[in-house]
């Protein structure tokens, strides 16, 4: 059996700006973490850290028992787990790269070599869709500074831009240990500790931009009865004027997804496009409060102060760590093919967010 040679990989290179092409969207990923802070965490700490690769191998056994995952070929500490996240977006990069005609640029707030890169014109100048993946632990104190918020606000004045914010889950935010245990049993992932709080950077960016949303909990999606397939989304198609969900029925299964709670806004300015049914057989405070679904994708249309779009969707929707389905790739392509022209904006209400 022959193996098709893969393109050579580069690392620690200076980004080469992508030239504008009419109708061709340039997409960039921004990981909000400090790679050194996350990987230098004390592995004896029970909470608020990523798993080590050794822990991943133990829990997911035998999924990572091939030679390519052993200590001679792959990092075994927390760094290995972060590299899994990087690898998990390769399929997304391939699909949207082919659809858009541009390679996907990938940035980190503080990378493996210790270089810090805030969001500024170096990232924004050749980006039409910026995907901000909020996988920084709250304890790492990553905050968007005023210069970054101002840069993004100015960038969103450019027609056709799209900011996708993906704050991850907030598991065990309470001091009530019984509730933390209930949340842990609800999601059922042995690799997620009783408290794992993410998304300080994205939260600060949302606050600065006036996005009235907060990421809450880590909820387990329902499955189609008798199968391991995720239950279909509840899609508000009448609100989906962009067609992002055309041909889409499900995202991928992830056992602890955030609820994007609205903190108060005009429904014309913040639109809940999708809701995900929850596994109601596993008790959780959110379920006990009477909820059967959580908000999983939100769209804020352009308004009189902002020409660009703002979307909220979890970063795991764009990875293959938790499986993938044809419906998911359709969503990726729809996002990649979002028009850059004024026709999209003309359809939207001009309410101020």
């Amino acid at each position: 059996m022959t193996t098709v040679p893969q393109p050579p990989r580069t690392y620690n290179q200076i980004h080469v700006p992508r030239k504008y092409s009419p109708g061709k969207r340039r997409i960039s990923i921004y990981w909000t973490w400090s790679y050194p802070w996350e990987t230098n965490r004390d592995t004896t700490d029970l909470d608020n850290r990523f798993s080590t690769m050794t822990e991943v191998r133990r829990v997911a056994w035998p999924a990572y028992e091939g030679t390519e995952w052993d200590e001679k070929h792959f990092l075994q500490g927390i760094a290995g787990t972060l590299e899994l996240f990087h690898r998990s977006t390769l399929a997304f990069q391939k699909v949207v790269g082919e659809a858009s005609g541009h390679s996907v640029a990938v940035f980190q707030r503080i990378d493996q070599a210790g270089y810090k890169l805030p969001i500024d014109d170096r990232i924004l100048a050749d980006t039409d869709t910026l995907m901000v993946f909020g996988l920084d632990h709250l304890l790492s104190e990553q905050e968007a500074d005023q210069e970054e918020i101002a840069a993004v606000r100015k960038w969103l004045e450019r027609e056709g831009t799209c900011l996708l914010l993906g704050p991850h889950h907030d598991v065990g935010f309470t001091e009530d240990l019984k509730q933390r245990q209930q949340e842990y049993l609800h999601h059922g992932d042995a690799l997620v500790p009783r408290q794992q709080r993410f998304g300080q950077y994205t939260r600060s960016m949302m606050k600065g931009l006036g996005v009235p949303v907060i990421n809450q909990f880590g909820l387990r999606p329902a499955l189609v009865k008798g199968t391991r397939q995720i239950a279909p989304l509840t899609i508000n198609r009448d609100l989906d004027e962009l067609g992002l969900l055309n041909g889409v029925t499900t995202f991928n299964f992830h056992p602890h997804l955030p609820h994007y709670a609205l903190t108060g806004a005009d429904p014309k300015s913040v639109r809940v496009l999708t809701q995900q049914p929850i596994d109601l057989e596993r008790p959780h405070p959110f379920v006990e409060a009477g909820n059967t679904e959580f908000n999983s994708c939100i769209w804020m249309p352009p308004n009189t102060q902002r020409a660009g779009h703002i979307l909220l969707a979890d970063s795991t929707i764009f990875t293959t760590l938790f499986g993938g389905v044809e419906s998911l790739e359709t969503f990726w392509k729809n996002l990649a093919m979002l028009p850059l022209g004024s026709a999209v904006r003309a359809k939207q209400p001009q309410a101020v967010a």
Side-chain angles (χ1 to χ4, degrees):
M1 181 177 179
T2 59
T3 301
V4 178
Q6 298 299 309
R9 297 183 58 79
T10 62
Y11 170 65
N12 219 18
Q13 302 292 311
I14 301 300
H15 173 64
V16 178
R18 296 157 292 184
K19 293 182 179 179
Y20 171 78
S21 301
K24 299 293 186 180
R25 184 167 289 274
R26 296 162 296 180
I27 298 175
S28 299
I29 293 172
Y30 185 81
W31 296 96
T32 61
W33 57 41
S34 163
Y35 193 103
W37 188 93
E38 300 290 353
T39 58
N40 285 328
R41 291 282 283 145
D42 186 346
T43 56
T44 65
D45 286 341
L46 295 181
D47 295 324
N48 293 303
R49 68 169 176 86
F50 286 105
S51 305
T52 65
M53 188 61 192
T54 301
E55 291 167 330
V56 171
R57 289 175 60 191
R58 180 182 295 119
V59 170
W61 190 93
Y64 294 98
E65 289 310 294
T67 303
E68 66 270 30
W69 304 110
D70 68 20
E71 64 277 5
K72 293 182 180 179
H73 298 88
F74 200 77
L75 296 163
Q76 298 301 298
I78 292 174
T81 299
L82 296 197
E83 291 305 323
L84 285 182
F85 280 101
H86 279 306
R87 291 173 68 135
S88 72
T89 63
L90 293 177
F92 169 78
Q93 293 174 52
K94 181 177 186 296
V95 168
V96 301
E98 291 174 351
S100 68
H102 289 291
S103 61
V104 177
V106 180
F107 304 104
Q108 298 177 87
R109 186 159 182 77
I110 304 179
D111 70 10
Q112 292 91 328
Y115 290 104
K116 183 174 182 178
L117 179 63
I119 295 178
D120 57 25
D121 286 344
R122 291 173 294 175
I123 292 175
L124 298 172
D126 75 325
T127 295
D128 303 304
T129 294
L130 178 62
M131 310 177 75
V132 182
F133 289 168
L135 276 166
D136 56 297
H137 281 89
L138 265 61
L139 289 179
S140 69
E141 300 180 338
Q142 300 302 314
E143 292 264 355
D145 60 38
Q146 291 304 309
E147 289 77 12
E148 290 177 279
I149 293 167
V152 172
R153 186 181 291 116
K154 182 178 180 181
W155 173 74
L156 284 168
E157 293 175 1
R158 193 177 89 203
E159 196 164 38
T161 52
C162 178
L163 174 66
L164 187 145
L165 298 166
H168 199 34
H169 65 237
D170 188 5
V171 169
F173 67 93
T174 177
E175 294 302 314
D176 184 340
L177 300 187
K178 290 183 179 180
Q179 180 175 325
R180 289 192 195 178
Q181 178 68 354
Q182 184 184 51
E183 291 185 41
Y184 176 79
L185 295 175
H186 171 80
H187 64 67
D189 187 345
L191 289 169
V192 172
R194 269 64 175 183
Q195 185 180 78
Q196 189 173 45
R197 308 192 64 189
F198 283 118
Q200 181 61 31
Y201 183 86
T202 42
R203 286 181 173 183
S204 62
M205 180 65 72
M206 290 188 291
K207 181 179 179 181
L209 295 175
V211 177
V213 177
I214 187 73
N215 56 313
Q216 295 179 336
F217 300 117
L219 297 158
R220 187 180 182 91
L223 298 177
V224 176
K225 192 171 183 179
T227 75
R228 297 181 63 83
Q229 297 178 352
I230 189 171
L233 292 161
T234 297
I235 301 176
N236 298 314
R237 296 193 183 277
D238 58 324
L239 301 179
D240 181 26
E241 296 178 20
L242 297 179
L244 283 170
L245 298 161
N246 289 347
V248 176
T249 56
T250 61
F251 295 145
N252 57 350
F253 179 80
H254 181 72
H256 27 80
L257 288 168
H259 167 55
Y260 290 142
L262 304 185
T263 57
D266 180 345
K268 291 183 179 180
S269 66
V270 181
R271 306 184 186 186
V272 178
L273 298 185
T274 68
Q275 294 171 298
Q276 180 66 55
I278 305 168
D279 186 340
L280 301 179
E281 296 182 2
R282 297 168 178 250
H284 189 283
F286 189 68
V287 173
E288 292 172 356
N291 299 287
T292 60
E293 299 178 316
F294 60 87
N295 299 338
S296 56
C297 184
I298 290 175
W299 171 44
M300 294 180 64
N303 56 44
T304 54
Q305 297 178 348
R306 170 173 45 80
H309 306 274
I310 296 178
L311 292 170
L312 287 102
D314 189 63
S315 58
T316 57
I317 293 173
F318 306 98
T319 73
T320 55
L321 273 179
F322 308 95
V325 293
E326 184 177 348
S327 173
L328 193 65
E329 288 197 8
T330 299
F331 179 66
W332 296 349
K333 291 176 183 177
N334 291 345
L335 182 66
M337 300 305 292
L338 185 67
L340 287 168
S342 59
V344 174
R345 190 183 182 195
K347 294 172 60 180
Q348 314 310 326
Q350 297 300 302
V352 176

